[in-house]
Amino acid sequence: MLELQLFVNGLAVGSLGAGLAMGFTLILGVHRFWHLAHGAVYLWAAYLTYILLATLGLPFLAVFILIPLIAGTLGGLLELTIYHYLRVRRVHPMVMLLASMGVYIAASNFAGLLFGFDPRVPVTPTLDHAYQVGAISFTLVEILAVLLGLLSFGLLQFILGRTRVGLEMRATMLDEDMATVVGAHLSRARLLSMVLGSALVGWPALLQTVDTGVQPSIGLNAVLIAAVAAIAGGLGSVEGAYLGALLVGVAEMLPLAVLPTEWQSATAFIVLIIFVLIRPTGFFGRTLWSART
Amino acid sequence: VTEYTAGLLVVILLYTVLSVTLNLLLSQAGLFSVAHAIFFGIGAYAMGYMTTARGTSWIVGTAAGMVVAAAIAAVVAGVSLRVSEDYFVIVSFGLQVIGLSILLNWDAVTGGINGLAAIPLPQIGSWSPDTTVDFVKLSAVVAILVVGIVALLDRSPYGRVLRASRDDPVATAALGKNPVTYKISAFIIAGSLAALAGSVYAAYRSFISPDDFGIDLSILLVAMIAVGGMGRISGAIAGTVLLELLPELLRRLSLPATAVGPVQQIIFGLLLVAVAMVRPQGLLGGTWPDFAATVRWVRKRV
């Protein structure tokens, strides 16, 4: 039964990662560079959750509504201040990656300077409630994680599939030239993808903060897992990123039945290696870059 | 020369080896690797293990480290570059994380979280460096050797093919050179030379732990190259010296002890962003990203 329990825990962990991975893959698809500062947005969304809940004492529901908006704003500001400027100057994608890395380092250490490097956990007793179904137990946080993962997936699919801006984003992902020709507004698509992709990390940040707390190192782990999930899903594929994140979550938890926990951080990369070796195009068999060149 | 300055010099010289070899990857081969600290660590740990647990000489331990680093580089680059270069950044992240995890957990060889202690002084022929100044000399010899090797590679036909593989793999292949093979070989060369630096570092410190080889160092090395200037050996060296001296300036500001580390990292991060925005080619750069490649890149996308 331990395996089943770990599988369920893995799905919950994976659903947290799904918000991150879907946002990451959307931004990667539209912008075509590795947005490492995604981890910085996640980290700051988590610290702001902590401030809103513990310092300002806002009710959980208010934070639940506010935090995606805040995370989206952070991402939008990054686009407006740094990325847009770099893109106008037509720098090499490697330089975009460097800038993104710089943002991550500065933002995570700024958090460390302000809050220290130890985990901070706001006290929210109601969410610790555990349920028992047969031999499987799970917490309210885990149920919320799975539900919010599904909700994020549904919302993103709706926006991408049924709205004009969503159509513009998808067009930009496929082919920037043709998107412009058929009337898509490129800089709007880029800004909105950054806002939307960043907003998606809000709920995972909220849940991780109330569940295990926040510390400056969580950002890097988060963005790495998002990147692995995005690769497993096929770059730019939202469905793939969702499935990829669930797979990474389960792959992280299941081996705990036989392996000591120290090796856990390495398991996500075993998934990466398997995909790079066996199916480098991800679940649904597409890659953005190779399709273009 | 005080003991302290000499120690700083040793670290600057060894980090120069790392940044110059990473520069070969980043700007000549076009491979963005954030795993360079792990190759440094492989060299340090292999030498430490061989000399303490196996009782071999420093030279044998160093050679072992370089061979292991080359083998790991060959496998990782061989696997990932043959499939797709798009993921190389993330694969190298994975190598860094798994590598550190192995250093932390493979207690029998690496000593786990406690690291390896009492690593003996090297014996090179009849000379055995035992003061810090001696280690400055040893590090300087290694640094000059490595900078010389990399400079020669840059100017050789090998360097030209490597740059061609970076800019236009299809044309390179059409001319009968396999771009993937060249990139893999660059990764192997950079990895084993980083291991050489690691071996000197371990001998100098005589105690090593996983903390010395974390992702912070890998990112710092990338920052050194980006700030100093991509594509130029002088840029990599200037960036190394600059970013290694920065903490020395901070020490004079009398910040609280716990704030020094984060403030230093914040400055590194902001420097990276500033360089990208104001001078993307770095302080001494100018050849990279070179004009023709930029035009090609822009044409492909706009």
Side-chain angles (χ1 to χ4, degrees), chain A residues 114-218:
Chain A
L114 290 183
F115 304 101
F117 286 86
D118 297 323
R120 296 273 189 131
V121 192
V123 185
T124 47
T126 47
L127 289 169
D128 289 341
H129 198 283
Y131 300 88
Q132 190 83 23
V133 174
I136 313 294
S137 69
F138 38 82
T139 62
L140 189 54
V141 172
E142 287 177 315
I143 299 173
L144 274 178
V146 172
L147 291 179
L148 291 179
L150 276 170
L151 181 62
S152 303
F153 178 65
L155 279 176
L156 187 56
Q157 286 295 35
F158 174 78
I159 294 173
L160 286 179
R162 297 265 178 263
T163 64
R164 179 177 168 85
V165 286
L167 192 65
E168 285 186 352
M169 280 187 252
R170 280 189 296 144
T172 313
M173 277 197 213
L174 281 175
D175 190 324
E176 289 181 356
D177 307 346
M178 285 311 290
T180 324
V181 169
V182 297
H185 194 317
L186 280 192
S187 36
R188 180 169 69 190
R190 286 184 186 130
L191 176 60
L192 278 175
S193 67
M194 193 63 87
V195 170
L196 192 58
S198 303
L200 286 170
V201 309
W203 287 334
L206 167 70
L207 291 178
Q208 175 162 18
T209 307
V210 296
D211 192 31
T212 54
V214 48
Q215 63 192 96
S217 60
I218 63 169

Side-chain angles (χ1 to χ4, degrees), chain A residues 238-261:
Chain A
V238 170
E239 304 88 337
Y242 183 72
L243 286 179
L246 292 186
L247 179 75
V248 171
V250 171
E252 274 190 298
M253 296 305 288
L254 265 190
L256 293 186
V258 286
L259 272 179
T261 46

Side-chain angles (χ1 to χ4, degrees), chain A residues 34 89 94 105 109 262 280, chain B residues 83 86-87 105 219 265 277:
Chain A
W34 299 100
R89 295 194 55 175
M94 219 186 243
I105 298 169
N109 281 284
E262 300 95 86
Chain B
V83 181
D86 295 341
Y87 310 141
N105 296 312
I219 293 180
Q265 295 285 326
M277 292 178 82

Side-chain angles (χ1 to χ4, degrees), chain B residues 151-288:
Chain B
L152 277 178
L153 286 179
D154 269 2
R155 281 163 182 73
S156 68
Y158 173 84
R160 275 196 296 280
V161 178
L162 200 57
R163 285 189 291 276
S165 314
R166 172 199 71 194
D167 289 340
D168 198 335
V170 179
T172 313
L175 292 171
K177 306 282 184 192
N178 185 342
V180 174
T181 314
Y182 273 82
K183 287 178 180 179
I184 295 173
S185 68
F187 199 54
I188 294 173
I189 293 170
S192 57
L193 291 178
L196 172 62
S199 167
V200 178
Y201 180 79
Y204 163 64
R205 294 291 296 268
S206 94
F207 163 73
I208 48 174
S209 77
D211 293 342
D212 300 338
F213 311 106
I215 187 129
D216 290 352
L217 176 59
S218 283
I219 293 180
L220 172 66
L221 292 169
V222 173
M224 286 170 173
I225 294 167
V227 170
M230 288 229 181
R232 291 219 170 162
I233 292 176
S234 57
I237 297 172
T240 311
V241 174
L242 203 68
L243 292 201
E244 272 305 301
L245 289 182
L246 186 71
E248 300 306 314
L249 282 178
L250 282 179
R251 282 155 48 89
R252 295 173 195 273
L253 290 179
S254 64
L255 288 164
T258 50
V260 173
V263 167
Q264 185 184 320
Q265 295 285 326
I266 291 170
I267 294 175
F268 288 161
L270 294 179
L271 251 180
L272 266 180
V273 178
V275 163
M277 292 178 82
V278 181
R279 198 173 161 78
Q281 68 272 48
L283 295 179
L284 298 185
T287 54
W288 191 93

Side-chain angles (χ1 to χ4, degrees), chain A residues 43-82:
Chain A
L43 183 66
W44 271 93
Y47 271 112
L48 290 169
T49 301
Y50 175 80
I51 291 174
L52 293 177
L53 281 174
T55 315
L56 300 180
L58 289 186
F60 184 80
L61 197 63
V63 180
F64 176 82
I65 294 166
L66 276 176
I67 213 70
L69 301 176
I70 293 174
T73 311
L74 290 178
L77 285 177
L78 269 184
E79 166 69 15
L80 291 176
T81 54
I82 299 173

Side-chain angles (χ1 to χ4, degrees), chain A residues 15-39:
Chain A
S15 296
L16 280 184
L20 278 152
M22 289 187 288
F24 188 77
T25 211
L26 176 69
I27 294 169
L28 182 67
V30 173
H31 292 253
R32 293 207 167 73
F33 75 99
W34 299 100
H35 173 49
L36 289 187
H38 202 51

